């Protein structure tokens, strides 16, 4: 059935439409309160100059529709299908790789606080997202200094008889050993959540009341603790801008597009103060702005995330009332979705818009710089093609065992993390770097068709590794792919030729990388990313192996092993810790700590990463 016939049969009902390309691949998913009108608007010759209408109609070879009972069902179904199919031309807010949130497990008896990249329907409260993991770590550290929340679960408290190190540092109230009641701990949790929600006036007022009550009852130690919390919060508030004198929570979103790039910027206003902001960049965004923004809002306010009283948008959405109703249901009271035309809200939109425009400018600037670097790299390495897609490969092993391979991918000078791949090397026994690289490349190029091949592959190694790569490409009839190998410094090399070198096919002498050169910096960055990826995977496998050895220590099970790794990070740090540090971990008694220290054979199982 052709497109025009399908258009005639579209129902006048709410639902979700799915646009497909020539090969049946899903390229765009949208929702509509009237499927016939919305989908038909893409294909009618009405003089519509919208880029989305022209672009998507040309790309679409087939359309499927799913009718829903109402607009709210269409809203939720669209979000579910976008997450499942990841269409190329939909915007997708990816928490797992890019943004972090603060999580408080409010459903637990003594809630914990930690940082996460995944939001789940588990009854916890989530705050964010935040683009900078480093700033979030600093926020959590600052917050725990004021509100000493624990990070260990009750399962890790078994056998614990004295407070942990976090208690000694003032970062935990030590509920594990009964140093705080459940009611008093709840007050700390409530204060931390009020702080993260930006309800600082209410928080300060409550703390002052609690401090006065503690002083009146002659509990001067508690009054002093509350006074210190007040001082820290008030110092923080001095650095926040007052943007409105109305004590209302608002999220303000501005969106600006340039060609197929969409920049969304959010301002978070709590109690009239600007408490934070976040910028988001989406490529391949060709849908009309109201559609893209509506999809963004649905993805942004996931269950568990703080929802303000007002959400301010730069344009009206077709399903504005539906989204407002959905947000109100999640919040438990009315949420207003507004597209103002005058007043202080317009001023806030202008501030957000300036930030969105700056995000677009930076993106365009980085694109231009990346393209210049790629063109320079093509000339410098005498490549056949402009290396828009570069794949770097690295091998990592532990003394010849647990050998793993990693493939890092850069597209237009930027990491394309969805395309990264990991390989367990299975067909080679022992330590043979050439054979390992041969297996990795063979498996990689057999797995995908020519349309997915890169313009350049970058091998970590020297002439030998490069020759292996060329042999694999030749055997598999891979054409149009350039190859190069990058080797690190070697001791004893003539000082005139010291430095990192790039080996090229049919070229006798390697190219010496220069410091500060844009194309050479890009090569190093790609090589280092592949190395990082391989090492991370290798360490994960090593931790699994070592975990079984730790389990052989009497008294260590899954929860205590996890507590050890949560505290120290890896086995080297566990073995290097003294008995006192080990016993500070919940559940680790002195007898268990001594047993761990009496495992010297473990050190022989942990040689450095072999290259």
């Amino acid at each position: 059935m052709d497109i025009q016939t399908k258009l005639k049969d579209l129902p006048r009902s709410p639902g979700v439409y799915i646009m497909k390309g020539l090969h049946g691949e899903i390229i765009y998913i949208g929702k509509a309160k009237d499927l016939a009108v919305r989908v038909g608007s893409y294909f009618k010759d009405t003089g519509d100059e919208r880029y989305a209408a022209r672009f998507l109609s040309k790309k679409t070879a087939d359309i499927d529709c799913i009718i829903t009972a109402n607009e709210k069902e269409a809203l939720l179904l669209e979000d579910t299908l976008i997450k499942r199919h990841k269409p190329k031309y939909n915007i997708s807010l990816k928490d797992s790789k890019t943004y972090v949130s603060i999580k408080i497990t409010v459903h637990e008896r003594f809630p914990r606080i930690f940082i996460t990249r995944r939001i789940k329907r588990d009854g916890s409260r989530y705050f964010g997202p935040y683009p900078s993991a480093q700033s979030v770590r600093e926020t959590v550290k600052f917050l725990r200094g004021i509100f000493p929340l624990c990070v260990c679960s009750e399962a890790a408290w078994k056998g614990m008889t004295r407070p942990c190190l976090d208690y000694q540092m003032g970062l935990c109230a030590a509920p594990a050993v009964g140093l705080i009641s459940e009611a008093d701990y709840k007050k700390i949790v409530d204060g931390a959540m009020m702080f993260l929600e930006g309800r600082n006036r209410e928080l300060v007022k409550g703390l002052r009341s609690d401090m006065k009550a503690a002083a009146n009852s002659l509990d001067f130690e508690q009054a002093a603790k509350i006074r210190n919390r007040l001082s820290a919060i008030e110092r923080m508030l001095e650095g926040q801008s007052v943007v409105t004198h109305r004590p209302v929570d608002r999220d303000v979103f501005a969106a600006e597009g340039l060609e197929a790039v969409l920049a969304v910027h959010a301002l978070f206003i709590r109690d009239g103060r600007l408490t934070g902001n976040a910028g988001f960049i989406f490529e391949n965004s060709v849908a009309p702005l109201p559609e893209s923004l509506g999809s963004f809002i649905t993805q942004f306010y996931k269950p568990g995330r703080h929802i303000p009283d007002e959400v301010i948008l730069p344009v009206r959405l077709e399903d504005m009332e539906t989204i407002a109703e959905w947000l109100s249901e999640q919040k438990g009271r009315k949420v207003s979705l507004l597209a103002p035309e005058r007043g202080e809200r317009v001023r806030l939109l202008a501030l957000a818009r300036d930030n969105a425009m700056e995000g677009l400018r930076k993106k365009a600037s980085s694109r231009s710089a990346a393209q210049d670097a790629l063109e320079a790299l093509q000339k410098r390495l005498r490549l056949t093609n402009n290396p828009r897609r570069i794949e770097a490969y690295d091998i990592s092993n532990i003394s010849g065992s647990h050998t793993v391979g990693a493939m890092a991918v850069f597209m237009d000078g930027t990491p394309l993390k969805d395309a990264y791949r990991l390989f367990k090397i299975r067909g080679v026994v022992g330590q043979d770097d050439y054979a390992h690289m041969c297996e990795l490349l063979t498996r990689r190029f057999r797995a995908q068709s020519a349309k997915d091949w890169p313009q350049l592959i970058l091998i970590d190694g020297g002439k030998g590794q490069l020759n292996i790569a060329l042999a694999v490409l030749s055997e598999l009839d891979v054409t149009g792919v350039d190859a190069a190998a990058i080797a690190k410094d070697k001791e004893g090399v003539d000082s005139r030729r010291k430095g990192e070198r790039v080996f090229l096919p049919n070229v006798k002498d390697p190219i010496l990388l220069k410091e500060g050169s844009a194309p050479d910096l890009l090569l190093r960055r790609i090589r280092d990313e592949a190395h990082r990826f391989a090492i991370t995977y290798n360490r994960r496998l090593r931790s699994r192996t070592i975990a079984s050895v730790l389990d052989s220590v009497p008294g260590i099970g899954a929860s205590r092993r996890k507590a050890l790794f949560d505290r120290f990070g890896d086995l080297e740090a566990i073995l290097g810790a003294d008995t006192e540090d080990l016993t500070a971990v919940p559940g680790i008694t002195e007898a268990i700590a001594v047993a761990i220290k009496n495992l010297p054979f473990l050190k022989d199982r942990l040689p450095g990463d072999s290259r």
Side-chain angles (χ1 to χ4, degrees):
M1 188 182 296
D2 62 22
I3 288 286
Q4 292 304 320
T5 303
K6 283 204 167 188
L7 291 175
K8 292 176 183 178
D9 293 336
L10 289 174
R12 301 293 301 269
S13 308
V16 172
Y17 57 94
I18 303 169
M19 293 181 165
K20 298 181 178 180
L22 287 173
H23 304 288
E25 72 279 14
I26 296 175
I27 61 174
Y28 185 77
I29 296 173
K31 61 182 177 298
K33 64 180 180 182
D34 187 321
L35 287 167
V37 172
R38 170 62 64 80
V39 178
S41 69
Y42 284 95
F43 297 91
K44 289 181 180 177
D45 186 14
T46 59
D48 191 347
E49 293 301 318
R50 292 182 309 164
Y51 179 70
R54 298 196 314 270
F55 184 90
L56 285 174
S57 62
K58 290 178 180 177
K59 291 281 185 179
T60 302
D62 192 14
I63 297 174
D64 286 338
C65 290
I66 302 174
I67 299 173
T68 58
N70 51 53
E71 293 175 53
K72 193 187 303 180
E73 281 190 14
L75 179 85
L76 300 176
L77 179 59
E78 179 202 37
D79 184 50
T80 300
L81 292 176
I82 289 173
K83 290 173 186 172
R84 181 185 303 165
H85 297 290
K86 298 179 175 60
K88 182 175 181 179
Y89 300 113
N90 280 96
I91 67 171
S92 180
L93 185 57
K94 301 176 183 178
D95 286 334
S96 60
K97 296 294 183 182
T98 309
Y99 305 109
V100 294
S101 298
I102 296 173
K103 176 178 180 176
I104 298 182
T105 57
V106 293
H107 57 289
E108 297 177 348
R109 190 163 66 103
F110 290 99
R112 297 168 290 145
I113 184 172
F114 50 89
I115 298 167
T116 182
R117 292 183 183 272
R118 295 186 181 276
I119 295 179
K120 303 176 182 177
R121 294 176 179 265
D122 59 0
S124 298
R125 284 291 308 277
Y126 294 86
F127 302 88
Y130 307 99
S132 169
Q134 177 62 34
S135 66
V136 172
R137 282 192 288 270
E138 292 171 358
T139 297
V140 170
K141 184 178 179 181
F142 171 77
L143 184 63
R144 291 185 70 205
I146 305 173
F147 302 101
L149 299 178
C150 63
V151 294
C152 300
S153 66
E154 288 192 59
W157 297 356
K158 294 177 182 177
M160 193 170 181
T161 58
R162 58 181 178 176
C164 65
L165 188 60
D166 279 358
Y167 173 79
Q168 307 296 338
M169 297 171 63
L171 300 176
C172 180
V177 291
L179 294 187
I180 187 171
S181 69
E182 191 172 341
D184 287 340
Y185 190 85
K186 185 178 184 303
K187 287 185 178 181
I188 293 176
V189 173
D190 290 342
M193 291 197 297
M194 290 172 69
F195 177 90
L196 289 170
E197 290 171 357
R199 295 157 54 198
N200 293 305
R201 292 180 189 175
E202 184 181 347
L203 175 58
V204 167
K205 183 179 178 181
L207 287 175
R208 282 184 178 145
S209 176
D210 290 344
M211 182 175 65
K212 185 177 180 180
N216 289 338
S217 62
L218 304 182
D219 189 351
F220 298 116
E221 183 180 355
Q222 179 65 11
K225 288 180 180 178
I226 298 173
R227 179 203 61 204
N228 293 339
R229 288 175 193 164
L230 269 171
S231 298
I233 292 168
E234 287 172 341
R235 284 196 301 271
M236 182 272 300
L237 288 175
E238 289 174 0
Q240 291 183 348
S241 303
V242 177
V243 293
T244 174
H245 293 288
R246 292 185 60 199
V248 64
D249 287 3
R250 290 169 168 163
D251 286 353
V252 183
F253 296 93
E256 292 293 327
L258 180 64
E259 296 179 352
V261 178
L262 177 69
V264 178
H265 199 89
L267 302 179
F268 307 122
I269 299 168
R270 303 292 179 262
D271 214 19
R273 292 176 180 270
L274 179 61
T275 61
N277 70 100
F280 308 87
I281 297 290
F282 303 99
E283 300 193 56
N284 295 318
S285 175
V286 299
L289 180 57
E291 286 185 34
S292 295
L293 199 53
S295 179
F296 173 86
I297 294 296
T298 306
Q299 295 178 58
F300 186 84
Y301 290 110
K302 294 182 177 180
R305 183 162 287 157
H306 176 69
I307 299 173
D309 303 312
E310 292 183 1
V311 177
I312 302 174
L313 303 176
V315 294
R316 283 199 60 81
L317 310 181
E318 182 186 76
D319 46 5
M320 210 149 181
E321 291 76 14
T322 303
I323 295 177
E325 181 184 346
W326 173 66
L327 292 175
S328 299
E329 287 180 1
Q330 287 196 75
K331 187 176 179 67
R333 65 173 187 264
K334 184 180 179 182
V335 176
S336 299
L337 211 63
L338 307 169
E341 297 180 357
R342 57 183 178 274
E344 69 173 3
R345 296 186 183 96
V346 172
R347 178 174 59 82
L348 295 173
L349 274 173
L351 179 61
R353 180 179 180 274
D354 289 344
N355 283 278
M357 291 295 291
E358 179 64 13
L360 273 182
R361 187 195 64 78
K362 288 181 178 178
K363 182 65 178 177
S365 176
S366 65
R367 268 187 168 184
S368 177
Q371 187 55 44
D372 290 345
L374 291 175
E375 290 176 359
L377 184 62
Q378 181 180 1
K379 292 179 182 178
R380 183 152 166 68
L381 301 186
R382 300 167 234 176
L383 305 177
T384 307
N385 308 296
N386 183 300
R388 291 194 61 204
R389 179 179 173 117
I390 302 175
E391 294 180 0
Y393 307 97
D394 191 23
I395 298 289
S396 179
N397 61 66
I398 308 172
S399 294
S401 64
H402 293 96
T403 304
V404 299
M407 177 181 85
V409 182
F410 275 57
M411 189 71 186
D412 292 327
T414 302
L416 188 63
K417 295 197 174 183
D418 287 348
Y420 284 24
R421 294 293 179 269
L422 292 166
F423 302 82
K424 277 187 182 179
I425 303 300
R426 301 187 181 93
V428 182
V429 179
Q431 192 164 345
D432 186 338
D433 286 350
Y434 291 168
H436 296 156
M437 185 61 70
C438 180
E439 180 181 331
L440 189 162
L441 291 172
T442 300
R443 287 167 58 186
R444 182 266 175 267
F445 281 98
R446 277 182 178 166
Q448 293 179 309
S449 60
K451 66 183 180 67
D452 298 311
W453 289 348
Q455 283 76 48
L456 171 66
I457 62 172
L458 187 64
I459 312 298
D460 184 43
K463 200 78 171 177
Q465 280 85 354
L466 176 61
N467 288 334
I468 290 294
L470 295 173
V472 171
L473 295 180
S474 175
E475 182 180 345
L476 298 179
D477 293 324
V478 175
T479 57
V481 177
D482 290 307
I486 180 169
K488 295 181 179 179
D489 284 339
K490 277 191 176 180
E491 294 183 8
V493 176
D494 185 340
S495 61
R496 292 172 299 176
R497 303 208 58 77
K498 283 192 69 175
E500 294 178 299
R501 294 150 294 142
V502 176
F503 293 88
L504 302 174
N506 305 315
V507 178
K508 180 180 178 182
D509 295 325
I511 295 174
L512 195 65
L513 294 186
K514 301 175 183 176
E515 294 295 332
S517 163
D520 293 0
L521 285 172
L522 179 60
L523 280 177
R524 287 190 178 98
R525 183 185 174 203
I526 296 171
R527 185 273 316 279
D528 291 346
E529 178 68 357
H531 179 61
R532 178 202 64 79
F533 195 43
I535 288 294
T536 301
Y537 184 41
N538 193 300
R539 286 174 178 164
R540 192 159 71 239
L541 292 177
R542 175 172 57 185
S543 294
R544 291 173 186 168
T545 302
I546 296 305
S548 63
V549 179
L550 277 180
D551 286 344
S552 68
V553 177
I556 291 186
S559 62
R560 287 176 179 170
R561 185 185 71 228
K562 181 178 184 301
L564 284 166
F565 277 97
D566 285 346
R567 176 59 57 86
F568 296 105
D570 55 34
L571 191 70
E572 290 93 334
I574 294 172
L575 293 177
D578 56 32
T579 304
E580 184 178 355
D581 288 338
L582 289 171
T583 54
V585 176
I588 303 300
T589 64
E590 188 169 350
I592 293 175
V594 171
I596 293 173
K597 298 300 291 182
N598 288 335
L599 291 175
F601 67 92
L602 277 179
K603 295 178 182 179
D604 297 331
R605 298 173 64 101
L606 288 171
D609 291 314
S610 173
R611 308 295 301 137

